[in-house]
Structure formats: C-alpha cells, structure tokens
Amino acid sequence: EVQLVESGGGLVQPGGSLRLSCAASGFTFSSYDMHWVRQATGKGLEWVSAIGTAGDTYYPGSVKGRFTISRENAKNSLYLQMNSLRAGDTAVYYCARAAGSGSLTFDCWGQGTLVTVSS
Amino acid sequence: DIQMTQSPSSLSASVGDRVTITCQASQDISNYLNWYQQKPGKAPKLLIYDASNLETGVPSRFSGSGSGTDFTFTISSLQPEDIATYYCQQYDNLALTFGGGTKVEIK
C-alpha cells in the first residue's frame, strides 16, 4: 500500500525554523517527483515546493529563498526546511506524490502535519 | 501565475441530484487540469486528471470536461458520501495553482 507520513510540525515563533519530514512506503520512492502542498485552516490549497527524481527543485515566489525541499532516497524520505517563518506560513503541510516522473498530478497524499507560527 | 476561479464556492443539493462545478483559468491551459475531493479533516484525493480522465477506483458518477479556459466537474447523482470540498488544479506550468474550492452539502 502506498503511504506517506508527515512529521515535524509544531509551534514556532516568527522568524524561527522548522524541518518537516515525509516517510514514504509502498512504492519506489526514487522514481517519483515529490511535492509539498499546504492549507491554512479553513482555506484552500497552496503548492509549496517540488523536487524531481534528479534532485531539481522548484518553489513559488511566496516561499522561494526561505524554504528548501530535499530528498534522501536511501531512507525513502522527503524533507522541507522552513526558515524565516511568518504567521502566514501557518498551515497543515501535506507531502504529495506526483503520478509519474514529470507529472504535476498528485495521486497520493499524506495525512498532513500542522505548523503554527505564533509568538 | 495562472488564476483559477471556481464556482460556486458552496452548494446544497439533494441526494440523487446532478451537481455541477465550474473552474475558469485566467489563460489557456489546454487540458492541464485536475479535480480533487477533500473530506473534512482528511487529505485531498485525486478524482479526475487531464480534465476528463477518471482516476482508478473512483465511482463513475464523477466526471470532468472542458479545455482551454473553461472546465466543468459533474456528480451525476449526489450521494451522502460525496459531502466534501472539491478543488480544481492547473498544471500548465510549475506555478501550480488551485481553485478556491466548492463545498458540497446535502440539502
């Protein structure tokens, strides 16, 4: 069974840092592009970052320069390093698998981990 | 970035009703559009990809159509388990964006 399990969320002060993890199982992790998508409470979905199978990375302007996505294929793990956090970054963060290499369709999602940025 | 305008933002319908949701892109995105279902407290689930293709295991009462800038998502006969928020997502480029969502409730 394909499974994604996020961890690492919590309460952090504005300007602080947090590292999220996503443990993948049930598929050949190294063969899939992976993404992070977030959702503020009661709000819609926002794409946060992507990493290809070759380690190429992509970000929207809202997080570029503050967030870093990475992967460790030997550990079937995806990461999101978040620095200079702001109140607007408060959200549930989901890791999501792209349907195939080069695909931008999310066919599997984790259950999410909550990040709260507040003093 | 491409803006996705989804309507309505919410709707209430009876069991068995036909439900239609629209999504309009701010520019031509060909058929690069997906639809997701999100039940309360859960992660989104892929229902439709490439505008009109049904994901494996998804009931056939769900369908999608459209191309260019105008897209439609339809539930042919609303069931109680379809209570959820539905989102469109464009993938014309890597500035991926979602519609604002449509909350579907039972009347």
Side-chain angles (χ1 to χ4, degrees):
Chain A
E1 178 194 5
V2 174
Q3 195 169 13
L4 298 170
V5 179
E6 301 94 335
S7 60
L11 175 64
V12 60
Q13 291 189 339
S17 298
L18 207 59
R19 189 196 196 205
L20 306 183
S21 299
C22 172
S25 60
F27 64 101
T28 305
F29 178 73
S30 59
S31 297
Y32 288 83
D33 299 344
M34 297 294 296
H35 297 250
W36 289 96
V37 177
R38 69 185 180 184
Q39 184 173 37
T41 302
K43 302 297 183 182
L45 300 164
E46 180 186 14
W47 171 70
V48 171
S49 60
I51 186 165
T53 56
D56 44 314
T57 59
Y58 307 89
Y59 307 91
S62 58
V63 307
K64 196 168 187 178
R66 299 189 300 123
F67 289 11
T68 302
I69 188 173
S70 61
R71 65 192 302 161
E72 193 168 355
N73 291 336
K75 292 187 176 181
N76 291 330
S77 292
L78 177 72
Y79 306 103
L80 185 67
Q81 177 67 41
M82 303 185 295
N83 299 330
S84 303
L85 282 162
R86 309 163 179 167
D89 296 318
T90 295
V92 173
Y93 284 72
Y94 297 100
C95 68
R97 187 184 78 168
S101 182
S103 172
L104 297 174
T105 294
F106 308 130
D107 68 346
C108 181
W109 300 63
Q111 86 289 348
T113 187
L114 177 62
V115 172
T116 303
V117 183
S118 175
S119 54
Chain B
D1 292 359
I2 298 173
Q3 307 303 314
M4 304 302 294
T5 303
Q6 198 174 328
S7 62
S9 57
S10 66
L11 66 89
S12 181
S14 300
V15 172
D17 281 356
R18 184 181 185 87
V19 168
T20 299
I21 298 168
T22 64
C23 192
Q24 185 171 58
S26 60
Q27 66 187 64
D28 189 332
I29 58 169
S30 185
N31 67 331
Y32 300 143
L33 186 104
N34 301 320
W35 290 94
Y36 299 87
Q37 175 193 64
Q38 186 178 32
K39 295 185 176 180
K42 301 295 186 182
K45 174 188 174 183
L46 177 66
L47 298 182
I48 302 287
Y49 63 94
D50 295 347
S52 60
N53 293 302
L54 195 66
E55 175 72 344
T56 302
V58 174
S60 59
R61 65 180 179 273
F62 296 101
S63 65
S65 64
S67 67
T69 60
D70 295 303
F71 302 86
T72 301
F73 173 81
T74 300
I75 307 173
S76 61
S77 177
L78 186 67
Q79 299 302 303
E81 60 267 31
D82 300 336
I83 299 313
T85 300
Y86 294 84
Y87 294 93
C88 61
Q89 173 231 337
Q90 69 78 22
Y91 55 99
D92 181 67
N93 57 50
L94 246 178
L96 304 175
T97 50
F98 293 85
T102 297
K103 187 174 183 179
V104 175
E105 298 175 321
I106 296 287
K107 191 182 295 182

